[in-house]
């Protein structure tokens, strides 16, 4: 996915040294003005210019390097199905076809992953490039390509690159995309040849955005400036194992558990067995204020960084589930998947089929599904024998370390150890190149704090607790992450694409080292399964990865990785179905290793489980359309908890009572046309703001939202003489409380204590006066919600609807993110009024701290029918094409928004019947 396209919320007042533009501000003003001039000039932006980059989809083309002819068959939505007689021809054609539709997107992606955005967009991207060079994604990808990938994978990557370059050969920028024509006004940039490493690097970007609990690790540490250990623990409650089922309920991990129990519940690896964060910094780390200040600066850097597939690692979820044949109409399994990722235009996913005319040792693939433009193979989908889906497992594969700097080195086990260094040169379009020095620890951890002058300054002046070593030359923050060492995920993609059975699939999954994903499985023989792959670290006793660790303590380093044979999996469980929706993988009391301290809390997964079990209990059989309807379930679990209580609140104001009555008889379904859903979600947002949001430190609150607070304690009565004006510092779609299912669990727990301090809000943090208990706060939230919606939707509640608040805008990467309205009109689309909501199965996510707008979505939906693959269904968020005026730019979006699925042809006959255009690529 290209850099995130979320619009800026503006610069925080008083925050010096921060650029006003945030995530993915890829355009300098001169470029925008030149674009407008070009559009106004008319001649350059003629119809022929716009259409020059459209792909040829009919007739024939010569492609040097093919060993035989290749057919590219596209349906009415421009989705390609490729037919070849050798593996190399198949993947070469895949590279060519993806470049036809999406090369600009591919080019931006590789410049992001290699830290070279400045070469395309100028000095506005230097800071991002510095950070990405520090992480070194492309450097690791090259090492991966050179040292760890199989010979066959390299061969396929080379063939794919050859296809991309065949498309580029002889073309000017304007022949490739409208965006290059625009860039030509101010930049002499010309696309360079594609390389195999460009494809591998994209996996690092994907792993970064699916990296686990790093954001929670930062947030917990930042909370210590304002909240005590008990308060932080309140905000990170235990996973509700008794209420929300784990993914794996029986399976191979039982054997691991026996050893665990025989040892008295102590892991042989010394790992903590906790299943949720304690909410407190590890005792004895001595990180104190130094860590607090460093992490505040690090969060600023992360806010600016473009995202790949998620929302900077926050709020990322997905649904997938599989039902065995004994409970389906077809008698064979049904498998559903809908990954929840940032909305982008074009969609992060690219649909296609890769078919060998005859499957043999020379040509081994017959697979169809979703992949990424810029990467060969299929990432999610099915072949002729099996189907699979993915959700983010959320396992903890990153740790932050506070390092004590000393001269040219850092303190480690009472000794000063020199950093490993490398010099990087950042080329800047229209400017002078910039050199930076990247420092790493001896175990390969880059010093992230070097990328911020603010962090360097803070590190030199920060005070720390007495348990920490002397400040010396300051403190820095380093990152340990599994993706910073070469892996084999690209091997896994090709192995899954040709897997014929469960054993093949498990062997392929073992290669999928980063990012760790929940993988579900079904096959045409009526088997279903689940496996958790990935390189997952173990830690010493006392270090569970929930908070940053002291780098000077050798014991804080990872002790190894969980053996693949000890990772959880299930095969044909007796219950007849498997659900994964980012909930806990296993019960913490039955598994010896800490996979993470920050699971999703299971609201979506349990709702899916209940829907499936209800159908089974009623004696019904589940159909493909039943699976689709489950994907569209809009039920709000938090509304079921709160609405009965809200209806009992005595309200005096007749206008607020009028809004309260909307909740009477409401079925908790968040349809786009529901006024009750609009009002409830506004009440929920205001409950969170009053009870928690106004009490969090500024580093977690929305940028630009300012409060008058007691600098010492915001949970009790404010000292009116000591109040200070304090403004939030975080992007609106990253702020807390975000309203997800962790906050469901926080509120559910506190409901039992109506006199909790969390329900108490001082006068300085509310209007017109203080609230003293739960019901007072709920009343205040209902009043505030009424007047908030009056301002946003009008006084007449008959005109209210959830969709008017909850809208999706699709913004074209880079050139569509900001600038004059004429430019945005050319490239962007929307809005769409959406149903669904946060922690709902139909997860059109919104951030309660920042507003109601959609920030992540089901980026695609699919239902695979293993009884008849041609009766499978799929949909993409946008369309096959990245060309702004193509008929396939957003031709699936209306259907996606309405919850429809398209027919998914697979067999030769079905593909031929659905084909509208055929292009033959000849040697």
């Amino acid at each position: 996915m290209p850099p995130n396209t979320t619009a800026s919320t503006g610069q925080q007042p008083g925050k010096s040294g921060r650029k006003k533009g945030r995530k993915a501000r890829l355009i300098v003003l001169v470029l925008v003005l030149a674009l407008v001039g070009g559009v106004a000039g008319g001649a350059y932006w003629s119809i022929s210019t716009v259409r020059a980059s459209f792909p040829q989809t009919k007739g024939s083309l010569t492609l040097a390097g093919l060993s035989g002819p290749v057919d590219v068959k596209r349906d009415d939505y421009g989705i390609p199905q490729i037919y070849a007689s050798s593996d190399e021809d198949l993947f070469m054609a895949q590279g060519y076809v993806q470049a036809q539709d999406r090369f600009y997107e591919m080019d931006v992606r590789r410049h992001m992953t290699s830290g070279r955005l400045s070469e395309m967009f100028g000095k506005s991207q230097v800071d991002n490039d510095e950070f990405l060079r520090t992480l070194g994604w492309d450097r690791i990808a090259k090492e991966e390509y050179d040292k760890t990938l199989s010979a066959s994978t390299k061969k396929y990557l080379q063939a794919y690159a050859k296809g991309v370059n065949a498309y580029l050969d002889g073309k000017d920028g304007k022949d490739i995309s409208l965006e290059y024509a625009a860039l030509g006004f101010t930049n002499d940039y010309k696309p360079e040849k594609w390389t195999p490493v460009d494809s591998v690097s994209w996996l690092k970007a994907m792993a970064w955005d699916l990296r686990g609990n790093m954001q929670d690790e930062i947030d917990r540490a930042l909370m210590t400036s304002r909240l005590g250990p008990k308060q932080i623990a309140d905000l990170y409650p235990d996973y509700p194992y008794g209420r929300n089922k784990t993914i794996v309920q029986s399976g191979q991990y039982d054997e691991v558990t026996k050893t665990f129990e025989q040892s008295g519940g102590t892991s042989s690896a010394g790992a903590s067995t906790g299943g949720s964060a304690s909410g407190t910094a590890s005792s004895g780390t001595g990180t104190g204020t130094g860590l607090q200040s460093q992490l505040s600066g690090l969060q600023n850097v992360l806010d600016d960084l473009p995202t790949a597939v998620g929302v900077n690692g926050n709020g990322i979820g997905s649904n997938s589930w599989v039902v065995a044949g004994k409970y389906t109409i077809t008698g064979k399994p049904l498998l559903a998947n809908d990954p929840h990722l940032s909305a982008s235009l074009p969609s992060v996913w690219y649909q296609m089929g890769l078919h060998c005319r005859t499957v043999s040792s020379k040509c081994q693939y017959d697979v169809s599904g979703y992949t990424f433009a810029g990467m060969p193979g299929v990432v999610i989908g099915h072949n002729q024998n099996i189907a699979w889906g993915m959700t983010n497992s959320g396992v903890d594969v990153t740790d932050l370390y506070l390092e004590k700097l000393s001269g040219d080195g850092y303190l480690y086990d009472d000794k000063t150890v020199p950093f490993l260094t490398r010099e990087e040169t950042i080329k800047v379009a229209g400017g002078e190149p910039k050199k930076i020095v990247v420092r790493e620890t001896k175990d390969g951890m880059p010093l992230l704090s070097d990328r911020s002058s603010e962090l360097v300054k803070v590190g030199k002046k920060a005070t720390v607790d007495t348990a920490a070593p002397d400040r010396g030359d300051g403190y820095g923050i380093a990152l340990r992450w599994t993706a910073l060492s070469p892996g084999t995920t690209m091997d896994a993609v090709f192995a899954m694409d040709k897997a014929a059975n469960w054993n093949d699939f498990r062997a392929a999954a073992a290669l999928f080292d980063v990012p760790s994903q929940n993988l579900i499985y079904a096959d045409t023989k009526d088997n279903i399964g689940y496996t958790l792959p990935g390189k997952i670290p173990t830690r010493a006793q006392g270090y569970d990865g929930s908070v940053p660790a002291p780098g000077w303590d050798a014991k804080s380093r990872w002790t190894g990785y969980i053996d693949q044979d000890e990772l959880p999996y299930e095969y044909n469980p007796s219950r007849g179905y498997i659900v994964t929706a980012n909930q806990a993988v296993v019960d913490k009391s039955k598994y010896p290793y800490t996979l993470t301290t920050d699971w999703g809390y299971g609201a979506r997964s349990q709702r899916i489980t209940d829907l499936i079990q209800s159908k089974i209990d009623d004696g019904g059989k589940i159909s493909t359309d039943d699976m689709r309807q489950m994907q569209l379930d809009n039920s709000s679990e938090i509304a079921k908890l709160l609405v009965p209580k809200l209806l009992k609140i005595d309200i005096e104001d007749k206008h607020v009572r009028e809004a309260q009555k909307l909740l009477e008889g409401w079925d908790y379904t968040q349809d786009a046309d529901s006024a009750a859903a609009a009002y409830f979600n506004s009440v929920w947002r205001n409950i969170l703001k009053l009870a928690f949001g106004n009490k969090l430190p500024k580093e977690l609150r929305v940028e630009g939202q300012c409060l008058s607070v007691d600098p010492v304690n915001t949970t009790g009565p404010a000292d009116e003489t000591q109040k200070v004006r304090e403004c939030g510092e975080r992007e609106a779609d990253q702020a807390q409380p975000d309203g997800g299912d962790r906050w469901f669990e926080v509120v559910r727990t506190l409901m039992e204590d109506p006199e909790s301090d969390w329900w108490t809000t001082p006068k300085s943090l509310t209007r017109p006066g203080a609230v003293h208990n739960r019901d007072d706060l709920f009343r205040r939230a209902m009043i505030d919600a009424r007047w908030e919606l009056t301002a946003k939707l009008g006084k007449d509640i008959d005109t209210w609807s959830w969709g008017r608040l909850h809208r999706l805008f699709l913004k074209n990467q880079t050139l569509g993110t900001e600038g004059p309205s004429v430019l945005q009109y050319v490239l962007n689309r929307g809005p769409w009024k959406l149903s669904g909501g946060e922690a709902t199965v139909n997860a059109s996510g919104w951030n309660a701290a920042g507003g109601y707008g959609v920030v992540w979505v089901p980026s695609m939906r699919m239902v695979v029918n293993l009884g008849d693959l041609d009766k499978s269904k799929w949909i993409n968020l946008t369309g096959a094409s990245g060309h702004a005026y193509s008929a396939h730019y957003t031709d699936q979006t209306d259907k996606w928004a309405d919850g429809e699925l398209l027919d998914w042809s697979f067999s030769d006959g079905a593909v031929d019947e659905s084909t509208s255009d055929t292009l033959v690529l000849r040697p």
Side-chain angles (χ1 to χ4, degrees):
M1 182 188 292
N4 185 282
T5 58
T6 304
S8 168
T9 57
Q11 185 177 18
Q12 177 208 327
K15 189 166 191 178
S16 61
R18 300 281 306 280
K19 59 178 177 287
K20 184 175 183 180
R22 305 277 261 175
K23 295 180 286 184
R25 298 300 175 90
L26 302 181
I27 315 302
V28 294
L29 179 61
V30 64
L31 174 59
V32 173
L33 293 175
L35 284 168
V36 176
V39 173
Y44 192 84
W45 296 87
S46 64
I47 297 298
S48 61
T49 299
V50 171
R51 292 180 175 172
S53 57
F54 286 9
Q56 179 178 339
T57 59
K58 295 181 179 180
S60 64
L61 288 169
T62 300
L63 218 61
L66 290 175
S67 63
V70 176
D71 295 328
V72 181
K73 301 179 181 182
R74 294 180 184 259
D75 65 10
D76 289 339
Y77 290 88
I79 300 170
Q81 305 281 344
I82 301 176
Y83 290 82
S85 299
S86 73
D87 290 339
E88 290 91 331
D89 283 358
L90 192 64
F91 295 117
M92 182 178 176
Q94 183 183 17
Y96 185 87
V97 170
Q98 286 193 342
Q100 279 187 306
D101 284 334
R102 302 271 194 102
F103 182 77
Y104 177 75
E105 174 193 3
M106 292 163 59
D107 200 17
V108 171
R109 282 180 175 177
R110 68 166 164 180
H111 279 78
M112 182 182 71
T113 58
S114 59
R116 296 168 53 215
L117 289 168
S118 301
E119 293 180 20
M120 294 184 75
F121 305 109
K123 64 181 181 180
S124 66
Q125 292 306 295
V126 170
D127 288 347
N128 284 333
D129 285 347
E130 288 185 18
F131 189 80
L132 293 165
R133 294 286 185 95
T134 299
L135 292 175
W137 291 344
D138 65 328
R139 184 176 57 85
I140 302 299
K142 186 177 188 312
E143 190 175 352
E144 197 163 293
Y145 179 80
D146 291 339
K147 297 180 180 179
T148 65
L149 296 181
S150 68
S152 61
T153 293
K154 291 180 183 179
K155 181 171 62 176
Y156 301 156
L157 288 165
Q158 291 163 3
Y160 181 90
K162 187 187 297 183
V164 175
N165 293 328
Y167 168 77
L168 293 177
D169 188 36
K171 288 184 173 64
D172 293 328
K174 64 180 175 18
D175 300 323
I176 298 172
S177 79
L178 181 64
E179 289 91 339
Y180 287 122
L183 281 173
F185 283 112
T186 59
N187 193 341
D188 60 359
Y189 171 81
K190 290 180 173 52
E192 60 193 37
K193 288 188 175 182
W194 193 262
T195 73
V197 173
D198 293 333
S199 295
V200 179
S201 294
W202 176 241
L203 291 171
K204 301 300 177 185
M206 182 175 73
W208 174 255
D209 275 359
L210 302 176
R211 63 190 178 270
N213 77 332
M214 182 172 155
Q215 189 65 61
D216 287 306
E217 192 174 338
I218 292 172
D219 287 356
R220 273 190 290 268
L222 290 172
M223 286 179 184
T224 60
S225 70
R226 187 54 58 84
L227 304 176
K230 172 60 169 63
Q231 293 168 315
I232 297 174
D234 286 345
L235 303 186
Y236 288 88
D238 288 338
Y239 185 88
Y241 290 101
R243 186 174 68 254
N244 294 343
K245 300 291 187 183
T246 59
I247 296 173
V248 175
Q249 297 167 38
S250 64
Q252 175 61 26
Y253 83 91
D254 289 342
E255 297 301 316
V256 182
T257 300
K258 288 178 184 177
T259 304
F260 175 51
E261 291 173 344
Q262 290 167 3
S263 68
T266 302
S267 167
S268 59
S272 163
T273 59
S276 69
S278 65
T280 62
S282 300
S283 60
T285 61
T287 51
T289 310
L291 177 61
Q292 176 75 26
S293 303
Q294 287 282 319
L295 287 174
S296 177
L298 175 59
Q299 180 60 47
N300 296 341
V301 175
L302 294 177
D303 270 356
D304 288 340
L305 192 66
T307 61
V309 297
V311 191
N312 276 341
N314 220 17
I316 298 173
S318 296
N319 301 322
S320 69
W321 65 95
V322 60
V323 181
K326 64 181 178 179
Y327 294 130
T328 70
I329 287 177
T330 66
K332 293 291 176 70
L334 294 171
L335 184 150
N337 195 191
D338 55 291
H340 307 154
L341 304 171
S342 288
S344 67
L345 180 59
S347 166
V348 63
W349 298 109
Y350 185 94
Q351 299 155 283
M352 71 188 319
L354 302 171
H355 308 278
C356 290
R357 293 190 178 96
T358 301
V359 177
S360 65
S361 59
K362 180 182 178 183
C363 198
Q364 305 172 73
Y365 296 89
D366 189 14
V367 62
S368 183
Y370 297 83
T371 187
F372 302 116
M375 206 179 88
V378 167
V379 177
I380 295 174
H382 71 82
N383 60 29
Q384 69 271 41
N385 297 305
I386 75 164
W388 67 96
M390 296 184 188
T391 63
N392 192 23
S393 70
V395 298
D396 186 1
V397 296
T398 60
D399 277 350
L400 293 171
Y401 289 84
L402 184 67
E403 302 289 353
K404 189 262 185 183
L405 308 182
S406 179
D408 293 328
Y410 61 100
L411 187 67
Y412 181 76
D413 209 13
D414 296 324
K415 298 178 182 177
T416 297
V417 180
F419 283 106
L420 304 175
T421 63
R422 68 178 189 273
E423 187 175 85
E424 299 272 354
T425 301
I426 298 172
K427 298 178 181 178
V428 182
E432 295 297 318
K434 182 176 182 179
K435 293 184 183 295
I436 64 169
V437 174
V438 176
R439 296 191 289 177
E440 293 182 350
T441 65
K442 65 178 184 178
D443 42 5
M445 297 196 300
L447 202 64
L448 303 185
S449 47
D450 279 353
R451 301 286 67 87
S452 166
S453 58
E454 180 181 353
L455 290 185
V456 172
K457 184 190 305 180
V458 167
K460 288 183 176 180
K461 295 183 177 179
T463 58
V464 293
D465 295 341
T466 55
D470 260 357
R471 178 172 65 245
D473 292 335
Y475 294 88
I477 291 218
L479 171 69
R480 184 76 186 269
W481 178 34
T482 53
L484 293 180
S485 58
T488 54
T489 301
M490 198 70 245
D491 285 339
V493 171
F494 293 116
M496 283 192 292
D497 284 357
K498 62 181 181 181
N501 52 47
W502 173 246
N503 289 336
D504 287 352
F505 184 75
R506 282 269 294 162
L511 300 170
F512 205 103
D513 47 12
V514 290
S516 177
Q517 298 286 285
N518 296 311
L519 298 179
I520 60 166
Y521 167 93
D523 63 35
T524 57
K525 305 293 187 183
D526 196 18
N527 299 300
I528 65 172
Y530 162 87
T531 189
L532 176 70
K535 185 185 291 185
I536 303 172
T538 57
R539 298 169 177 87
Q541 193 71 34
Y543 295 97
D544 63 4
S546 64
V547 292
W552 49 85
D553 184 357
K555 294 178 182 178
S556 69
R557 294 305 204 254
W558 293 352
T559 58
Y561 299 95
I562 302 175
D563 190 271
Q564 288 290 315
D565 291 338
E566 295 186 309
L567 289 172
Y569 73 86
E570 271 191 325
Y571 186 58
N572 290 330
S574 59
R575 65 185 180 279
Y577 58 87
I578 302 170
V579 176
T580 87
N582 318 112
Q583 78 271 39
V585 173
V586 294
D587 190 320
K588 70 176 182 178
S589 66
K590 297 180 180 179
Y591 191 68
Y593 302 107
T594 297
L595 297 174
T596 184
T597 59
D598 294 293
W599 301 115
Y601 280 77
R604 281 180 289 109
S605 61
Q606 193 57 42
R607 175 63 178 171
I608 295 166
T609 297
D610 291 346
L611 290 170
I612 295 171
Q613 192 62 52
S614 175
K615 189 79 172 180
I616 292 171
D617 291 344
D618 289 344
K621 295 288 188 178
I622 296 173
S623 68
T624 300
D625 198 60
D626 289 331
M627 300 285 274
R628 180 187 71 87
Q629 293 286 356
M630 291 177 192
Q631 289 179 325
L632 302 178
D633 183 79
N634 293 320
S635 178
S636 170
E637 296 304 299
I638 191 61
K640 292 177 185 177
L641 175 69
L642 292 182
V643 166
K645 179 61 66 177
L646 295 175
L647 287 174
K648 294 178 181 179
I649 302 294
D650 183 36
I651 299 293
E652 296 180 1
D653 187 300
K654 67 177 183 179
H655 298 292
V656 181
R657 282 203 312 274
E658 181 185 32
Q660 183 185 35
K661 288 181 179 179
L662 290 172
L663 304 179
E664 295 179 359
W666 180 44
D667 63 359
Y668 314 122
T669 298
Q670 300 170 97
D671 293 331
D673 59 0
S674 170
Y679 182 60
F680 172 76
N681 282 317
S682 182
V683 173
W684 171 236
R685 178 174 187 246
N686 280 279
I687 287 173
L688 292 171
K689 179 181 178 182
L690 291 168
F692 311 105
N694 289 345
K695 301 168 186 176
L696 295 177
K698 63 182 182 299
E699 293 88 354
L700 275 69
R701 299 202 314 268
V702 175
E703 182 181 30
Q705 290 186 1
C706 303
L707 299 169
S708 295
V709 301
D710 178 344
V712 178
N713 176 24
T714 61
T715 59
D719 182 344
E720 297 296 321
T721 65
Q722 297 296 318
K723 288 191 299 183
V724 297
R725 184 169 173 80
E726 185 182 80
C727 298
E729 296 182 353
R730 188 167 289 187
E731 279 283 298
D733 62 6
Q734 301 289 301
Q736 293 293 340
D738 61 20
D741 64 356
R742 172 164 68 88
W743 293 100
F744 290 12
E745 202 62 28
V746 169
V747 170
R748 183 187 298 274
T749 302
L750 290 173
M751 288 287 285
E752 301 172 4
D753 183 7
E755 303 300 323
S756 167
D757 286 344
W758 288 110
W759 303 126
T760 300
T761 302
K763 183 178 180 180
S764 62
L765 295 183
T766 188
R767 56 178 179 84
V771 298
H772 303 290
N773 56 47
R774 182 194 64 199
D775 289 355
D776 282 352
L777 188 139
F778 283 6
R779 182 181 296 106
R780 182 73 254 169
M782 294 173 74
I783 294 169
D784 289 353
R786 173 39 157 145
W787 300 120
E788 180 185 8
L789 294 197
T790 298
K792 291 180 181 294
L793 302 179
K795 186 176 180 180
D796 184 359
I797 64 172
D798 290 337
T799 67
W800 290 4
S801 71
W802 177 225
R804 288 181 63 195
L805 290 173
H806 193 53
R807 299 187 299 167
L808 170 67
F809 291 85
L810 291 176
K811 295 192 174 184
N812 186 275
Q813 57 176 320
T814 67
L815 303 186
T817 57
E818 63 178 274
S821 58
V822 63
L823 183 62
Q824 296 189 21
Y825 178 81
V826 167
L827 296 172
N828 299 337
R829 301 292 183 268
W832 285 266
K833 299 176 180 179
L834 296 190
S835 301
E838 183 62 36
T840 300
V841 180
N842 184 17
S844 54
W846 56 287
N847 186 298
Y852 303 99
V854 177
V855 294
W856 57 83
V857 295
S859 55
M860 61 80 158
R861 297 186 184 100
M862 74 175 194
V863 179
V864 182
N865 182 334
L866 277 300
D868 185 346
L869 292 169
D870 286 330
K871 291 183 179 178
S872 302
K873 302 286 185 177
W874 62 352
I875 197 79
N876 206 352
L877 172 62
T878 59
S881 180
H883 299 288
Y885 286 96
S886 166
H888 306 306
Y889 191 48
T890 56
D891 58 340
Q892 296 185 52
T893 308
D894 285 346
K895 291 182 178 296
W896 171 91
D898 291 339
E900 298 180 37
L901 299 175
L902 304 177
D903 292 337
W904 183 356
S905 300
F906 180 71
S907 68
D908 292 352
V911 170
D912 284 343
E913 187 174 344
S914 63
T915 295
S916 59
D917 291 351
T918 299
L919 174 69
V920 179
L921 303 176
R922 302 188 183 280

